[in-house]
């Protein structure tokens, strides 16, 4: 019995270690792994925060739904932004409340990049970037935010401790639209985490 418990503990530990060391892979346009890219973006955002002596963010399923809502809304729009028509989902705070995330502070970052084609990132690099892998996509996404003062401010807001990162993909123009929503948890709050939403956590 003791051996079985010990073996189970080792297997659980191994699964946690392997999930935290997910390997980068090439982007397959026919089978785009959205969850993997979201995971890599989250890791890089936490790395930026750690570099400034801030804690990492906890994934929250409700904020993920709010982020996904905006990402899906923007996917075929020529321009990206933070507003939707109508009152229910008009602002980032409205969308958070729509999905029952009644947090006192909400922030939102939005970015669009292109994969498997030359892409100019003027704020980051003078030479075109060609994204082939999920981690390369995450790198360019986060660097775009780091070089944008309003987005960078959201990343480094110490009060934010929850997040949801969601992407949508437009295969026709090979674009990736990413939305990250930030929130501040109430005292004693434990975020809702879905294994379906966060399979790599």
């Amino acid at each position: 019995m003791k051996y079985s418990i010990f073996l189970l503990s080792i297997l659980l530990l191994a699964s946690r270690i392997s999930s935290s060391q997910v390997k980068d892979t090439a982007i397959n346009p026919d089978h785009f792994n959205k969850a993997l890219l979201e995971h890599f973006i989250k890791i890089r955002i936490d790395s930026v925060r750690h570099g400034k002596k801030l804690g990492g963010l906890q994934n929250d399923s409700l904020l993920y739904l709010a982020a996904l809502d905006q990402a899906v809304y923007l996917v075929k729009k020529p321009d990206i932004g933070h507003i939707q028509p109508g009152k229910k989902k008009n602002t980032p705070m409205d969308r958070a409340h729509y999905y029952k995330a009644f947090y006192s502070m909400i922030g939102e970052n939005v970015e669009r990049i292109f994969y498997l084609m030359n892409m100019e990132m003027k704020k980051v690099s003078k030479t075109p970037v060609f994204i082939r892998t999920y981690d390369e996509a995450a790198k360019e996404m986060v660097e775009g935010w780091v070089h944008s003062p309003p987005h960078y401010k959201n990343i480094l807001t110490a009060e934010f401790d929850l997040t949801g990162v969601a992407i949508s993909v437009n295969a026709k123009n090979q674009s990736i639209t990413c939305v990250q929503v930030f929130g501040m948890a109430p005292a004693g709050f434990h975020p809702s985490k879905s294994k379906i939403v966060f399979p790599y956590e």
Side-chain angles (χ1 to χ4, degrees):
M1 182 65 179
K2 288 183 179 179
Y3 176 79
S4 298
I5 294 173
F6 174 76
L7 184 60
L8 180 60
S9 300
I10 293 296
L11 290 172
L12 287 173
L13 178 60
S15 68
R16 288 175 185 171
I17 291 171
S18 63
S19 67
S20 66
Q21 298 175 344
V22 180
K23 292 183 179 180
D24 188 20
T25 58
I27 292 174
N28 181 345
D30 297 323
H31 302 282
F32 200 103
N33 192 337
K34 296 180 183 180
L36 181 59
L37 178 52
E38 291 162 355
H39 176 68
F40 282 143
I41 292 169
K42 164 69 165 53
I43 288 173
R44 286 188 172 272
I45 290 294
D46 282 348
S47 179
V48 173
R49 286 176 61 91
H50 292 324
K52 296 296 183 179
K53 309 300 182 185
L54 296 172
L57 301 166
Q58 296 185 71
N59 280 320
D60 179 85
S61 297
L62 301 180
L63 293 184
Y64 177 84
L65 291 174
L68 183 62
D69 192 299
Q70 185 67 357
V72 170
Y73 170 74
L74 293 174
V75 67
K76 293 185 179 179
K77 301 289 182 184
D79 300 309
I80 57 175
H82 303 280
I83 302 301
Q84 285 192 33
K87 294 182 178 179
K88 288 184 178 180
K89 301 180 183 178
N90 186 239
T91 67
M93 181 68 84
D94 292 332
R95 290 188 290 277
H97 287 177
Y98 180 87
Y99 290 102
K100 312 302 180 186
F102 296 106
Y103 308 147
S104 57
M105 284 180 63
I106 292 291
E108 183 181 80
N109 283 354
V110 177
E111 181 68 277
R112 175 173 290 158
I113 62 173
F114 298 83
Y115 61 96
L116 300 179
M117 62 187 295
N118 284 326
M119 175 186 65
E120 290 189 4
M121 296 285 287
K122 294 180 180 179
K123 294 180 181 178
V124 180
S125 173
K126 293 181 180 179
T127 58
V129 174
F130 194 93
I131 293 171
R132 295 177 175 83
T133 74
Y134 292 103
D135 194 48
E136 288 174 356
K139 177 179 179 289
E140 297 305 324
M141 192 76 71
V142 173
E143 284 192 359
W145 283 334
V146 167
H147 285 81
S148 170
H151 296 96
Y152 192 43
K153 182 179 179 181
N154 275 339
I155 293 171
L156 298 184
T157 296
E159 290 80 6
F160 288 144
D161 50 11
L162 302 175
T163 194
V165 178
I167 68 160
S168 57
V169 178
N170 186 336
K172 289 185 177 179
N173 65 2
Q174 294 172 232
S175 68
I176 304 167
T177 302
C178 181
V179 178
Q180 179 170 21
V181 178
F182 304 83
M184 184 177 74
F189 176 81
H190 297 287
S192 168
K193 294 182 183 181
S194 165
K195 289 293 183 182
I196 296 174
V197 174
F198 309 115
Y200 294 100
E201 187 176 23

